[in-house]
Amino acid sequence: MHLKFICVFILSCSLASGSSSLPMNAHQAGLAGLGTTVKNSFSAFQNPSLSALSEHPSFCLGAENKYFISELQSFLFQATLPLKSGSAIGLSGYRTGTKDFFERRLGVHYARKLSGKLYGGIEIFHQLYKVNEGNYSPLGNWSGIIGVYSRPLPFLEVGATLHNPANFHSRKNQTELLSPALNLGLSWMLSTKLFMRIELSQNAGNGTVL
């Protein structure tokens, strides 16, 4: 088997999303931050099940600066290794902010083909939020993402992710970092050059966003 390694460097100014805790590349920025059905080098950040579609080992590096604000400057990476029987494992992480105010995350993900047209995946990660000014204590937690993806028809793709599922039934410690969130996405190919993508996000702390 010939191994094919891919290294990608992306520098983008993301004007489509104001969240510093969800890294994305220029493609997703142009789609207003959609991710549950977008297959690209950093797809495991949005839907870990998409890693099962990888055919070759890959290692990707990225950087972005939202609104040209130093506190929203991010560096991220993702490595994916396809395995036998339609499965894949990987490692991903990112760091956002400055030396005095930053958020970082490191996680592992696993994905596999569940049936002919259905894929599933899970990511377990540790997230740390720290402010090096005043008397603020670092806030860190272990959490995860569960994702599914399917292409039931040649022109239709659907995906869903559940963030922080361990806190889904808990009201304790539900902060911006810990609150569960459910994302549902749909991609409809209207023609060979025209796509329609819709994504619905339900966050326990911030309500529903379309």
Side-chain angles (χ1 to χ4, degrees), residues 12-19 21-38 40 42-43 45-47 50 64 66-67 161 163 183-185 197-201 209-210:
S12 67
C13 175
S14 303
L15 301 181
S17 173
S19 172
S21 61
L22 185 61
M24 59 180 144
N25 60 24
H27 184 189
Q28 288 162 315
L31 297 173
L34 301 183
T36 54
T37 60
V38 178
N40 54 41
F42 297 103
S43 59
F45 278 111
Q46 280 74 29
N47 189 341
L50 296 174
E64 67 173 2
K66 299 178 181 180
Y67 309 109
T161 57
H163 294 248
N183 296 321
L184 303 174
R197 299 186 188 272
I198 300 174
E199 190 155 316
L200 179 67
S201 177
V209 179
L210 178 60

Side-chain angles (χ1 to χ4, degrees), residues 6-8 10 12 22-62 64 76-80 91-92 109 149 157 197 199:
I6 304 172
C7 183
V8 179
I10 298 171
S12 67
L22 185 61
M24 59 180 144
N25 60 24
H27 184 189
Q28 288 162 315
L31 297 173
L34 301 183
T36 54
T37 60
V38 178
K39 301 177 292 294
N40 54 41
S41 303
F42 297 103
S43 59
F45 278 111
Q46 280 74 29
N47 189 341
S49 66
L50 296 174
S51 295
L53 301 173
S54 302
E55 298 180 354
H56 306 284
S58 65
F59 178 74
C60 306
L61 298 173
E64 67 173 2
L76 54 152
F77 77 91
Q78 179 176 317
T80 300
L91 178 70
S92 61
H109 59 271
Y149 165 84
E157 299 173 272
R197 299 186 188 272
E199 190 155 316

Side-chain angles (χ1 to χ4, degrees), residues 127-163:
Q127 194 166 4
L128 178 67
Y129 179 80
K130 188 174 183 180
V131 178
N132 290 332
E133 295 179 354
N135 297 320
Y136 296 99
S137 300
L139 174 62
N141 70 291
W142 287 93
S143 192
I145 304 173
I146 299 174
V148 293
Y149 165 84
S150 179
R151 190 173 185 177
L153 299 170
F155 55 86
L156 180 65
E157 299 173 272
V158 293
T161 57
L162 177 60
H163 294 248

